[in-house]
Amino acid sequence: MPWNALADRILTGSKRKKELEVENQSEYDQWVSELYSEIEVFVKRVNNLNLSEAEGRDQFYNFAGRLSDRLLELRERSESSAAPAEALIQLEELVEKINESSSKTHVSVAYIGDDPFEKARREKKRKEREREKTEKAREKRDAIADKIQQLTAAFEED
């Protein structure tokens, strides 16, 4: 599922979820509500990031790491035992997908010299690395979107 489709679905669907009366919810319903809230926060924060900039990619990986931690905390709570098995599997697969090689390796290289051809070659390589990092972050974002969609679908099937 493309990122924009997930963002539209989560952001428009969140108002409907908010309308549920919290005091009438069972502990399990409250747990599901918290799960959806964590996903909504993640989607809202990531939706406005520019992944073609290093700062945007860094923020994306930080937000993804926080989501992973929060989902693990929710998974470990006793209320999760009431969730359908397929939903729990999807939740664990989402956490695994988030934690897959969230690369944030920064490398600095210094070059001493004034060769204009070497400078142009280095600049071309730098731009190519930036393009690859952007593409990698977008692919990860879309893979996370797919897993979130599968997770929410597993809850809706229940």
Side-chain angles (χ1 to χ4, degrees), residues 57-96:
R57 289 190 302 270
D58 286 345
Q59 286 181 319
F60 167 71
Y61 288 118
N62 285 334
F63 293 153
R66 285 187 213 155
L67 176 64
S68 174
D69 292 344
R70 290 179 176 131
L71 293 177
L72 283 173
E73 288 172 10
L74 284 168
R75 174 63 180 101
E76 292 170 357
R77 289 183 22 199
S78 63
E79 295 90 344
S80 70
S81 64
E86 182 60 28
L88 294 176
I89 290 168
Q90 293 300 329
L91 177 60
E92 290 172 1
E93 287 181 2
L94 172 58
V95 170
E96 289 169 7

Side-chain angles (χ1 to χ4, degrees), residues 8 49-50 58 73-74 83 85 90 92 107 119-120 123 126 133 140 142 147 153 157-158:
D8 291 343
L49 294 179
N50 183 353
D58 286 345
E73 288 172 10
L74 284 168
Q90 293 300 329
E92 290 172 1
V107 177
K119 185 177 181 181
E123 182 62 22
R126 185 192 67 74
K133 288 177 187 177
K140 179 144 184 126
D142 291 344
K147 287 297 177 187
E157 290 171 6
D158 182 36

Side-chain angles (χ1 to χ4, degrees), residues 61-151:
Y61 288 118
N62 285 334
F63 293 153
R66 285 187 213 155
L67 176 64
S68 174
D69 292 344
R70 290 179 176 131
L71 293 177
L72 283 173
E73 288 172 10
L74 284 168
R75 174 63 180 101
E76 292 170 357
R77 289 183 22 199
S78 63
E79 295 90 344
S80 70
S81 64
E86 182 60 28
L88 294 176
I89 290 168
Q90 293 300 329
L91 177 60
E92 290 172 1
E93 287 181 2
L94 172 58
V95 170
E96 289 169 7
K97 180 57 71 179
I98 292 170
N99 292 332
E100 281 179 2
S101 67
S102 295
S103 67
K104 284 181 49 179
T105 308
H106 297 283
V107 177
S108 294
V109 177
Y111 177 76
I112 300 174
D114 292 329
D115 183 357
F117 294 110
E118 182 63 26
K119 185 177 181 181
R121 187 182 68 75
R122 281 192 325 276
E123 182 62 22
K124 184 178 176 183
K125 279 186 175 181
R126 185 192 67 74
K127 286 181 180 180
E128 180 62 23
R129 281 192 305 272
E130 284 295 311
R131 189 194 61 72
E132 288 172 3
K133 288 177 187 177
T134 299
E135 187 59 31
K136 226 176 183 180
R138 287 182 178 144
E139 287 172 3
K140 179 144 184 126
R141 181 194 64 190
D142 291 344
I144 290 171
D146 286 339
K147 287 297 177 187
I148 289 173
Q149 190 277 326
Q150 292 168 4
L151 172 64

